Amino acid sequence: MSQEAKREYRIVEQRYLVEYIAKRFPNAKKVMYQVPVGDFPHVAAKHSEVKDAKWFWRYGPRIDAIVIANGTLYLIEAETRRPVNGLSELELYNSLIEQTPHLGPYLKFPRKIILVTPVMDPNVARICAEKGWEYEIFRPTWIDEHLRRWGVIP
């Protein structure tokens, strides 16, 4: 691969997510990023020589953010380039939340699911609406450079 073809690595999605959460939930009780979901680490640790479940977290599914605000548990996935990817990930993460031991105290809260992207995808918007999920467009000015670099916008 030539130098011209190589893309410079930039931390985009983390910055995007942090800015979105700061704007949408300025008074959040708790914000957790890259939260492992499901019970896979605990189950796997029981059947392995490695007995520390934390070792397995890196292999399991992780939701971008969980926010506790106004007595509600918000599951948030940010997708800066292809909203459909975030939609499919949220489907899995939502199905695993009840099996996530470390979220126990928050599982009794009402749950809201949010997919946040900088670009509208009408099909994703329709499916989110059918599921009762929120589909939010958050487009800070700096994200346009990232979207152009990846060919998402002209």
Side-chain angles (χ1 to χ4, degrees):
M1 180 184 285
S2 71
Q3 284 294 58
E4 295 81 37
K6 259 188 166 178
R7 296 185 195 264
E8 180 182 334
Y9 177 77
R10 295 185 182 142
I11 297 175
V12 173
E13 203 163 278
Q14 261 184 333
R15 176 183 174 190
Y16 178 77
L17 185 62
V18 167
E19 285 184 21
Y20 166 77
I21 289 174
K23 183 176 179 178
R24 169 82 192 267
F25 302 99
N27 299 313
K29 181 178 177 184
K30 185 172 187 108
V31 177
M32 300 171 270
Y33 293 98
Q34 291 298 309
V35 182
V37 293
D39 65 353
F40 170 74
H42 301 285
V43 171
K46 289 178 186 173
H47 305 292
S48 171
E49 292 177 13
V50 179
K51 296 298 180 189
D52 183 5
K54 291 178 184 177
W55 185 86
F56 291 95
W57 282 133
R58 62 190 257 195
Y59 299 110
R62 296 174 179 271
I63 190 161
D64 284 343
I66 292 179
V67 175
I68 309 301
N70 307 317
T72 302
L73 172 69
Y74 293 89
L75 307 182
I76 303 170
E77 190 66 21
E79 182 56 57
T80 59
R81 291 180 285 165
R82 296 193 64 223
V84 70
N85 289 350
L87 179 66
S88 61
E89 290 173 357
L90 274 171
E91 189 76 47
L92 172 65
Y93 303 153
N94 185 41
S95 74
L96 294 173
I97 285 297
E98 296 294 330
Q99 304 164 30
T100 307
H102 61 281
L103 293 178
Y106 308 109
L107 294 177
K108 66 181 185 269
F109 293 170
R111 186 180 316 162
K112 292 200 177 190
I113 298 168
I114 303 172
L115 174 60
V116 58
T117 73
V119 293
M120 171 56 77
D121 181 321
N123 292 315
V124 171
R126 178 181 49 78
I127 292 169
C128 283
E130 288 170 1
K131 292 179 169 295
W133 297 356
E134 294 180 39
Y135 181 53
E136 287 201 34
I137 305 302
F138 176 65
R139 191 162 172 176
T141 55
W142 63 265
I143 199 78
D144 284 0
E145 176 190 346
H146 169 73
L147 297 175
R148 274 192 287 283
R149 186 171 56 249
W150 286 96
V152 177
I153 62 172

